[in-house]
Amino acid sequence: MDRSEPSRLEQRIERQLDADVEPQVAEFARLLGAEAEAEAVLFYGSNLRTGSLDGVLDFYVLLPGPQKERIWPRVSYHERMVDGTELRAKVATMSLETFARAASGELRDTTIWARFVQPSALAWDRSADARREVVAAIAAAAQTAARLAVALGPRSGTAADYWRALFRATYKAEFRVEKTGRENDILSVNAEHFEGLLPLALEAQGILFDQNADRLAPSLTARQRAQIVSWWKRRQRLGKPLNVARLVKASTTFDGAARYAAWKIERHTGMPVEVTPFRENHPLLAAPSVLWALRSHRKGQREK
């Protein structure tokens, strides 16, 4: 095959990345990209699926050049009026180069390829070259995820059986709480996205399989399966420690953390929280007073 031509998987990924987003989301992405002098901005999460502008939008801002921080991504919170609509966003920032390496499974990371085998949209890009790099990275994420899915899944089964095995394993490896059956929710709400994706991802990396109607039987040798599982176990062991390190970093470097927390508290409890300069600059030190106020607020609500 002429590698100047995109694979069938890359063609599909590019179509998916061209998913329609609301004009305000596209403009928000453009502003984020321009301010960061980024290569590209990806939009993902439930708001991509629903088209809603409510809540917090999720973006990945991908920068040029080498990764500057050892623990990535850098997380920030933004509020902005866009075309008369107040939008809120949680933004993860890292280099495109590191994003691509993580997507390919080269790094000891369990988050990038598992997150971006799920739907995302290329909401803004600087150039055709940047676009090609992002398409290649998302295609690599699909291949990495598919490779592990068939190694962990049954000897034969539906594509959904393999994706379930993948998401169960990755959620278990990460330091976060997901309700039982979360993998079924992902597959059901994103059924169109996952339809036919697994065979293309296997084909792209030369993993043979038999297919009979909706059932697949990947032709992995015992040696291949053992190699993939060994690759996974090394990352699985580091999954929770790496997640903890990222949470610790975010607790001190999350730009806009106080505004994000204030919005969340008011949204879920109805209690307004004033974001003072002290709370903006020292969110951890300010947390006890906010929690005390919240406790008093809830007590007052119960007594009404």
Side-chain angles (χ1 to χ4, degrees):
M1 178 187 294
D2 181 357
R3 292 312 301 160
S4 65
E5 292 295 321
S7 66
R8 292 205 301 159
L9 174 64
E10 289 171 331
Q11 292 174 36
R12 174 185 172 128
I13 293 296
E14 186 163 20
R15 290 194 299 271
Q16 291 176 337
L17 288 173
D18 283 337
D20 290 335
V21 298
E22 294 298 318
Q24 296 95 324
V25 171
E27 176 62 8
F28 204 158
R30 186 192 69 79
L31 293 169
L32 290 170
E35 289 172 0
E37 298 183 342
E39 292 294 307
V41 178
L42 286 163
F43 175 53
Y44 67 101
S46 60
N47 290 72
L48 170 62
R49 185 182 74 253
T50 64
S52 172
L53 299 177
D54 193 24
V56 177
L57 309 176
D58 291 295
F59 294 101
Y60 253 75
V61 174
L62 303 175
L63 304 177
Q67 181 66 38
K68 295 180 180 179
E69 300 147 315
R70 295 187 64 184
I71 300 176
W72 41 262
R74 183 174 72 253
V75 181
S76 57
Y77 173 70
H78 302 255
E79 295 176 344
R80 183 161 296 171
M81 290 295 295
V82 180
D83 296 337
T85 302
E86 184 176 17
L87 299 181
R88 299 171 176 84
K90 182 157 64 76
V91 179
T93 302
M94 63 186 294
S95 78
L96 175 53
E97 175 187 326
T98 297
F99 180 87
R101 292 178 63 203
S104 71
E106 180 181 342
L107 303 181
R108 300 287 181 93
D109 173 70
T110 62
T111 59
I112 297 298
W113 46 268
R115 168 59 263 179
F116 286 96
V117 72
Q118 300 173 56
S120 60
L122 184 52
W124 176 87
D125 60 75
R126 181 175 294 279
S127 66
D129 286 343
R131 178 184 178 85
R132 281 192 291 270
E133 286 188 55
V134 173
V135 169
I138 302 299
Q143 292 179 64
T144 304
R147 186 164 59 247
L148 180 59
V150 297
L152 296 180
R155 299 289 175 171
S156 68
T158 65
D161 292 333
Y162 293 107
W163 292 129
R164 286 190 193 96
L166 171 82
F167 291 125
R168 287 190 194 113
T170 53
Y171 282 139
K172 188 176 180 180
E174 295 175 10
F175 191 74
R176 59 176 173 169
V177 178
E178 294 288 351
K179 67 178 182 179
T180 302
R182 170 62 174 158
E183 66 277 6
N184 293 321
D185 293 342
I186 291 174
L187 294 174
S188 63
V189 300
N190 298 304
E192 183 177 353
H193 171 82
F194 283 103
E195 179 66 32
L197 179 59
L198 184 60
L200 285 180
L202 296 176
E203 174 190 279
Q205 57 196 309
I207 295 178
L208 301 178
F209 57 91
D210 293 324
Q211 186 165 9
N212 183 6
D214 65 343
R215 296 188 67 82
L216 300 171
S219 299
L220 287 180
T221 66
R223 179 182 176 85
Q224 287 174 316
R225 191 180 300 274
Q227 288 175 334
I228 297 168
V229 170
S230 176
W231 170 91
W232 167 240
K233 286 184 175 179
R234 292 194 297 274
R235 283 148 185 82
Q236 185 181 41
R237 285 193 293 270
L238 289 173
K240 286 184 173 64
L242 184 56
N243 277 198
V244 169
R246 286 170 173 162
L247 287 170
V248 169
K249 178 187 176 183
S251 70
T252 57
T253 64
F254 190 148
D255 298 333
R259 285 177 287 119
Y260 178 65
W263 174 79
K264 290 281 283 188
I265 290 170
E266 183 169 1
R267 178 180 173 87
H268 290 287
T269 70
M271 185 189 84
V273 177
E274 181 184 3
V275 182
T276 64
F278 177 78
R279 287 173 173 170
E280 182 75 39
N281 295 323
H282 307 283
L284 289 180
L285 294 177
S289 66
V290 174
L291 292 174
W292 182 261
L294 179 59
R295 180 183 179 189
S296 299
H297 173 78
R298 285 175 168 168
K299 182 178 179 181
Q301 292 294 102
R302 288 196 297 269
E303 291 175 351
K304 284 183 179 179

